[in-house]
Amino acid sequence: MIRIKNQSDFDNYTKLAKENPEAFWKEATKEFVWKKPWSKLQSGDFNDLDIKWFEDAELNITENCLDRHLKNNANKTAIIYEPNNPHEDPQQITYKQLHENVCKTANMFKDLGIKKGDVICFYMGMVPELLYGVLASARMGAIHSVVFGGFSSKALAERINDCQAKLLVTNDGSNRGNKTIALKQVANDALENTTCVKHLLVHKRTNEEFDKHELDQDWDKLFSKASSDFPAVTMKAEDPLFILYTSGSTGKPKGLMHTTAGYMTYAQYSFDNVFQMQDDSDVFWCTADIGWITGHTYFSYGPLLSGVTQVMFEGVPTWPDGGRFWEVVDKHKVSHFYTAPTAIRALEALDIELVNKHNLSSLKVLGSVGEPINEEAWQWYNKNIGKNNCPIVDTWWQTETGGIMISPLAHITEMKPCYAINPLPGIEPALVDTEGKILEANDVEGNLIIKKPWPGMARTVYGDPERYKSTYFSTYPGFYFTGDGAKRDEKGNYRIIGRVDDVINVSGHRIGTAEVENAINEHESVVESAVVGFPHEIKGQGIYAYVICTSEIKDKDKFKKQITDLVSDEIGRFAKPEKIQIVSGLPKTRSGKIMRRILRKVAEKQTDQLGDTSTLLNPEVVEEIIQGAQ
Ligand code: WT7
């Protein structure tokens, strides 16, 4: 395995990865358990898009996450489960127990008729059974598609149909602070609009009553009968491991497909080197839900591949009070803590006593992910949580990249507030101008691209290779386009600025403007709408919707509620627009394209930077929009 220990290692590995990628990835993969080792490193490029890594290898990722640790670390704690309710006892799950539970779950899925290559959809809260399910899917060669529990039944159905999932696994409900979310009801509703699902497997967590469905199966009943012997199925390196949906600039969510050996390699390599867990007693805690890529790579796979102990948390940062994260850090002696800027900003706004009453001396490394971290939040995190003594790794990556691409390495590379600093060895980013010309100099700003394939990259958009090509590889032919803008300072350090496409990042969740617009346009009084992001103190960005209506709306509050309800119904509560402005027209070019730049500037309250509006088809509408802005 590659373990970068200091700056000179870093420089040497960067050089090796560039000059002799075979040798570099050989070292990164040498401790894995292979059923058949690889002999061919990589084929395909950003033109043919037939990208393969370690193609002739055979393996099962769960043998690397579980079985290989049993020899020496069977009784080491893999998971410390911290329930939502602080009065409920935490659970310690050893590697041996995790292995057993995963095998039982795989047998249960098998008994329900699931075979290699079938898709299993998970719509669950953060309970250990979700982790068992994901790993069981990998163990039997099925493909998992985890849908975050905040999505609506329509969004869930759309995702189930797109990948033709055969099995849907859910909880009766999910505990979120002082509320429960009735997941089973949403799953029942989703099944109204799907025909591919054969069973709805329900794991009871809240024990609240729920409506039965004819496809219902009971997790506890089947699990208790299942055998704990399940030999890992042999997978080819490029067999699909999972599909994870994310929003893009157009309406339909994209199912990014990740494959087995490359994803595994990149998950462990990036986890080890970015976080630098050194002591056996170190405890990792990634606060992300498994429904997002962070919860895949740095909860379900990376830490288990490395055989460390980690926390799984069911609840929310603000319940029973805003000190919950710090209480859990103290209670479980967390050493490596990885969260999102939106959580930091929300907690920063609260009484500092909520931090100070807990002992945070176990902390060694802090991480940030999901959106640009603003300087104030970075400083607060550094001073109050890290006590000026813990490096902060600001990790830039995406659902598509599979793992961290640009980040400081804890204790090794220098830190600079708000900077993701440098690419990991093996990753070659660049900045380009709008024509696609690479900006070679430092102290520049441009669009962020990646020049060469890397093992963790998504291989396609499930069922839609054309979309994969047009989204990522057509803007700058021959390069992977990230959709982000970035700066490089005079020393070559990267700072990620944010999306340059029609994607809004709300609390670290990607929301496509087109998806929200489609939902709003379902309203019978809406003719057209345009959605942009605006700066939001806690969420990073909020959603601002401009709406044209068929006739005058008398009860504006009622109308706005109907619009937010529609978005909750079509996508989920987290995508609700915060501001809705009714307008008589939208600024358009002569060819009829909405000038979002103008709408963005109005939403950002930067109306002095509108630029030239005289070439618009309808320049007069701009003044009206400015007057009515919220
Ligand atoms: C988008 C990817 C990566 C896992 C969670 C989000 C933004 C991500 C950072 C960072 C600035 C960041 C980018 C990226 N982003 N990390 N450290 N600094 N921006 O995954 O939902 O696929 O979103 O999140 O805009 O493109 P995702």
Side-chain angles (χ1 to χ4, degrees), residues 246 293-294 368-373 394-400 482 484 496 498-499 505 508 510:
T246 187
I293 189 71
T294 311
S368 170
V369 62
E371 51 179 314
I373 181 166
D394 178 359
T395 63
W396 175 84
W397 57 296
Q398 311 177 298
T399 305
E400 293 84 347
T482 63
D484 280 313
I496 312 300
R499 304 292 305 192
N505 191 327
R510 239 155 100 168

Side-chain angles (χ1 to χ4, degrees), residues 176-314:
R176 306 284 294 158
N178 56 6
K179 290 197 274 245
T180 55
I181 314 279
L183 297 177
K184 169 69 163 88
Q185 190 55 51
V186 182
N188 284 355
D189 294 346
L191 291 186
E192 296 295 308
N193 296 307
T194 62
T195 50
C196 49
V197 173
K198 302 284 178 268
H199 298 288
L200 173 56
L201 181 58
V202 186
H203 172 259
K204 292 198 212 68
R205 172 61 182 140
T206 58
N207 290 312
E208 285 176 354
E209 283 203 17
F210 55 79
D211 290 344
K212 300 240 175 329
H213 190 280
E214 57 186 7
L215 299 180
D216 279 0
Q217 297 280 352
D218 182 73
W219 177 296
D220 290 331
K221 209 166 117 197
L222 300 178
F223 187 82
S224 62
K225 291 191 298 207
S227 146
S228 58
D229 178 28
F230 193 102
V233 167
T234 301
M235 304 298 287
K236 294 213 163 68
E238 287 294 341
D239 279 342
L241 176 64
F242 66 86
I243 297 166
L244 188 59
Y245 286 87
T246 187
S247 296
S249 326
T250 57
K252 211 171 154 257
K254 294 175 288 210
L256 272 318
M257 192 188 85
H258 285 275
T259 57
T260 306
Y263 175 81
M264 172 179 83
T265 302
Y266 202 72
Q268 172 158 16
Y269 160 69
S270 57
F271 174 76
D272 281 350
N273 290 290
V274 170
F275 293 102
Q276 298 279 333
M277 293 184 66
Q278 278 148 1
D279 297 330
D280 206 38
S281 57
D282 281 351
V283 175
F284 186 72
W285 182 16
C286 163
T287 66
D289 191 283
I290 302 184
W292 308 110
I293 189 71
T294 311
H296 281 58
T297 310
Y298 301 109
F299 174 73
S300 307
Y301 290 109
L304 298 178
L305 286 164
S306 291
V308 305
T309 300
Q310 62 171 335
V311 173
M312 177 181 204
F313 177 48
E314 181 182 32

